[in-house]
Amino acid sequence: MHLRKLFWLLMILMLAYVARPLWEEKASEYVDLSFLDSVDQAIENVAERPEVEKVLDSAKQITARLSGELQSLVSENALEIPEAVAKPDIAETDSLFAIHNITLGMTKEEAQAKVGFPLRLMRNEYGTDWHSYHKDYQNYVLLSYDQEGKVNGMYTNQALISSTEHLSMDSTKEEVRKALGTPLKHLRKGNVQYILDTRDEYDLYKIDTIYVTVFYDIHEGNTVTAIQVIHEDLEEKRRGIYADPSDELRKGSEFLLFELTNSTRIQRNLPLLKWNDEVSGTARKHSEDMAANNYFSHTNQQGKSPFDRMEEDGIRFFVAGENLAYGQYSSIFAHEGLMNSMGHRENIVKADYGFLGVGAAFNKENQPYFTEKFFNR
């Protein structure tokens, strides 16, 4: 019995001793740790006694393993902010809008000479792929290409805009409307005319052969927060206001919402979130449940909360949050809407989170449901 107590005492001491690099520097800011010098000497003296050497060896093996797992866990959950990347020089343009000095009709070779190679391709509501370009989500640009390899769609939510109308991310809604005129109130698709429920959070313009959507941040003086530029040929490929569902569109929508979140966080000097497959599965199941059963709530029809559903799937966390969106035309519209809702915005820009999973699903009317699950452990 005494030997067992001695074993566990030594193991606890060894764990604290081996794990010192993880806590000693931070603790020394508040506590004088010079007393540990005598503790170090005492441990060395005890270790030299033959009657405890066997117990000490066993304790060392266990604490070494636990320390390695602890350091791995700390590394996995470390909240790191990437180093700042220089902004490109944004030149004046002869086009209505340019993003990162790229304009509609530019070839893929010309565009990628400016932004490099894409880091991810994500199927969009137009039936093409968004090619994602960035460096740690800085200088974030989405580009779409037609069959001839020419740019037919662009998006950014960062200060990469130039315009013949001298609009920028610092422009206000009033300035945009003064420069571009009255935005569209309807969008025609085939024989159906859809009323645009913009809630004054974005404006859609048709100027010559270009559709321009300008998004505003209502919490920052209605300044421009993002812009999407689509050629009319691409817009016409979207036969309805909502795209036809597919597994590729679902996956693309999930990853795009994840990327947009990180692009928003990096602009606020916040740690980037890591994609988590397990919690994405939890999120996807909730979106599928809402879409199939025609409801929209954080609490499902079995009365389970977001945290209940995470625990049911075996996901460990000490802090977590959930965002829901429904009925937006795409992940871009969903993200911009969430940023204009203060409670959802707080989740997106919460510094404590380290992981994010996104799940999307579509109902019978092709309307998408989005579930974002944030957490750290």
Side-chain angles (χ1 to χ4, degrees), residues 23 25 27 108 119 131 153 157 160 191 230 236 244 247 269 289 293-294 306 362 364 370 374-375:
W23 55 262
E25 181 178 355
K108 181 184 289 187
L119 300 183
H131 293 61
N157 59 356
L160 303 169
N191 295 324
I230 302 294
E236 289 173 1
D244 293 333
D247 194 50
N269 203 36
D289 187 40
N293 295 292
N294 193 32
F362 305 90
K364 294 179 180 179
F370 301 95
F374 304 81
F375 75 103

Side-chain angles (χ1 to χ4, degrees), residues 309-320:
R309 298 194 303 273
M310 291 176 70
E311 291 175 348
E312 188 177 65
D313 288 345
I315 297 169
R316 297 178 295 105
F317 61 93
F318 73 84
V319 60

Side-chain angles (χ1 to χ4, degrees), residues 14-232:
M14 283 297 299
L15 179 59
Y17 184 77
V18 174
R20 275 175 62 179
L22 299 176
W23 55 262
E24 186 173 27
E25 181 178 355
K26 192 66 178 178
S28 65
E29 298 177 9
Y30 307 99
V31 180
D32 182 5
L33 298 179
S34 60
F35 71 92
L36 289 176
D37 294 339
S38 59
V39 174
D40 292 343
Q41 185 60 52
I43 290 176
E44 292 178 4
N45 291 339
V46 170
E48 293 174 356
R49 296 174 60 181
E51 62 268 26
V52 299
E53 186 174 358
K54 184 176 181 180
V55 175
L56 188 58
D57 286 343
S58 298
K60 280 182 178 180
Q61 293 176 19
I62 295 175
T63 53
R65 177 174 57 82
L66 292 176
S67 178
E69 292 178 355
L70 180 60
Q71 292 189 47
S72 175
L73 184 62
V74 170
S75 175
E76 178 189 6
N77 295 335
L79 302 179
E80 298 180 358
I81 301 174
E83 294 183 3
V85 175
K87 291 282 185 183
D89 293 328
I90 301 302
E92 293 185 1
T93 181
D94 294 330
S95 299
L96 179 62
F97 282 101
I99 294 177
H100 205 303
N101 301 318
I102 297 168
T103 59
L104 293 184
M106 188 174 286
T107 67
K108 181 184 289 187
E109 291 74 17
E110 292 171 326
Q112 293 189 164
K114 302 176 184 295
V115 294
F117 293 103
L119 300 183
R120 181 181 280 129
L121 273 62
M122 298 165 286
R123 183 57 49 91
N124 60 35
E125 68 272 26
Y126 300 104
T128 63
D129 290 328
W130 282 125
H131 293 61
S132 172
Y133 303 90
H134 60 87
K135 173 62 176 176
D136 291 328
Y137 295 95
Q138 298 169 78
N139 300 331
Y140 186 80
V141 176
L142 298 175
L143 298 177
S144 168
Y145 301 98
D146 63 20
Q147 292 182 344
E148 297 178 355
K150 293 183 179 180
V151 177
N152 61 1
M154 308 185 296
Y155 168 88
T156 189
N157 59 356
Q158 299 188 6
L160 303 169
I161 300 169
S162 55
S163 168
T164 54
E165 300 299 325
H166 307 292
L167 297 174
S168 70
M169 299 294 278
D170 295 323
S171 299
T172 63
K173 181 192 300 181
E174 182 181 1
E175 292 169 337
V176 171
R177 291 179 175 179
K178 183 177 180 180
L180 301 182
T182 303
L184 297 177
K185 299 300 180 183
H186 306 85
L187 183 62
R188 190 176 188 85
K189 290 290 182 182
N191 295 324
V192 180
Q193 186 162 268
Y194 296 91
I195 298 174
L196 298 174
D197 183 19
T198 68
R199 302 179 185 180
D200 276 341
E201 295 181 5
Y202 69 89
D203 286 332
L204 175 63
Y205 295 93
K206 171 71 183 304
I207 302 173
D208 296 328
T209 60
I210 299 173
Y211 285 90
V212 179
T213 307
V214 184
F215 298 91
Y216 306 108
D217 191 325
I218 66 173
H219 300 295
E220 295 184 5
N222 277 318
T223 52
V224 176
T225 187
I227 186 169
Q228 178 177 274
V229 183
I230 302 294
H231 193 277
E232 66 176 355

Side-chain angles (χ1 to χ4, degrees), residues 247-313:
D247 194 50
E248 286 183 313
L249 180 60
R250 176 192 61 77
K251 291 177 181 177
S253 299
E254 292 172 352
F255 280 116
L256 180 53
L257 198 49
F258 170 78
E259 288 202 357
L260 295 171
T261 301
N262 269 336
S263 178
T264 296
R265 288 174 67 89
I266 199 64
Q267 294 178 77
R268 290 160 173 78
N269 203 36
L270 294 170
L272 295 178
L273 302 177
K274 300 173 184 176
W275 177 267
N276 184 271
D277 279 328
E278 289 76 18
V279 83
S280 295
T282 303
R284 190 174 304 116
K285 286 189 291 186
H286 188 56
S287 289
E288 291 171 347
D289 187 40
M290 290 190 293
N293 295 292
N294 193 32
Y295 75 96
F296 185 66
S297 173
H298 291 286
T299 302
N300 68 14
Q301 294 180 313
Q302 289 72 47
K304 295 178 180 178
S305 73
F307 315 109
D308 294 332
R309 298 194 303 273
M310 291 176 70
E311 291 175 348
E312 188 177 65
D313 288 345

